[in-house]
Amino acid sequence: MKRHLVRSVKYFLMLCVLYVALMWLMNITGATLLTLRDDAAILFGTTRGWLMIAAAVALSAAYPKFGFVTRRVEGDIAEHRRQILSAMEACGYELRGEDDGRMVFRAGPLQRALMLFEDEIVVGQYGQWIEISGLRRMVVRAAIRLEGYMGFIKRDNGLK
């Protein structure tokens, strides 16, 4: 529950920074006739502004539920270790630790900051499946790459 709350707060703060940056950019480029003070007055002084704040809070609260997933790829973590490492490297991740049949990957420093330091991807064995858990966009990319790399191996073994 604590992790869910922390992720929600991080996402809400990111949305706030994005909103302020957009308002500032519109102001300096002349895309709006309003000042930053006027923008703040509209945001906090109108029903529409409060609805936007409520929407940002609701989106932030729901983000940990839809932003993090687990995908499964049929295979064995020991047998396909090289393909897992290659797939994660292609996604910009490095192996940072291994224990109890699990592999923990982290992104590089810039990518970590852009992902609000929620970049950890865990790869483990779950029955006949390799289970990949973490941030949705990175897990999906890694799973697709891993399936492709494992398909190459199956195809090559079939040809020999």
Side-chain angles (χ1 to χ4, degrees):
M1 182 65 178
K2 180 182 175 186
R3 186 176 226 178
H4 181 91
L5 182 63
V6 169
R7 286 177 174 167
S8 294
V9 169
K10 283 181 182 181
Y11 193 68
F12 179 74
L13 291 175
M14 186 206 47
L15 288 175
C16 291
V17 167
L18 182 63
Y19 177 79
V20 170
L22 286 173
M23 291 299 109
W24 177 78
L25 187 63
M26 286 176 56
N27 192 291
I28 64 167
T29 61
T32 182
L33 297 175
L34 301 175
T35 65
L36 292 177
R37 181 173 284 161
D38 293 337
D39 287 334
I42 291 170
L43 181 64
F44 295 111
T46 65
T47 304
R48 194 173 281 182
W50 282 106
L51 283 173
M52 192 167 92
I53 293 170
V57 169
L59 184 63
S60 298
Y63 173 69
K65 292 287 186 194
F66 66 81
F68 295 85
V69 297
T70 298
R71 294 278 304 256
R72 291 183 181 164
V73 176
E74 191 169 0
D76 182 71
I77 198 169
E79 182 182 333
H80 297 104
R81 179 180 172 80
R82 199 174 91 231
Q83 289 79 24
I84 293 169
L85 293 173
S86 296
M88 296 307 293
E89 183 180 329
C91 291
Y93 277 74
E94 298 175 3
L95 181 63
R96 295 292 170 98
E98 270 187 274
D99 62 343
D100 300 330
R102 292 176 5 142
M103 302 166 80
V104 178
F105 294 88
R106 291 268 182 186
L110 178 61
Q111 195 174 5
R112 283 192 79 196
L114 292 174
M115 290 187 222
L116 305 176
F117 300 96
E118 294 289 347
D119 63 316
E120 182 178 271
I121 292 183
V122 177
V123 178
Q125 190 71 43
Y126 184 80
Q128 68 181 22
W129 303 96
I130 296 172
E131 195 171 73
I132 307 168
S133 301
L135 190 62
R136 176 183 295 274
R137 64 183 167 162
M138 299 314 295
V139 166
V140 170
R141 288 179 190 165
I144 289 170
R145 285 186 189 274
L146 181 57
E147 285 173 344
Y149 292 170
M150 289 168 52
F152 291 148
I153 297 301
K154 287 179 185 176
R155 190 171 54 230
D156 286 348
N157 288 340
L159 294 175
K160 291 180 181 180

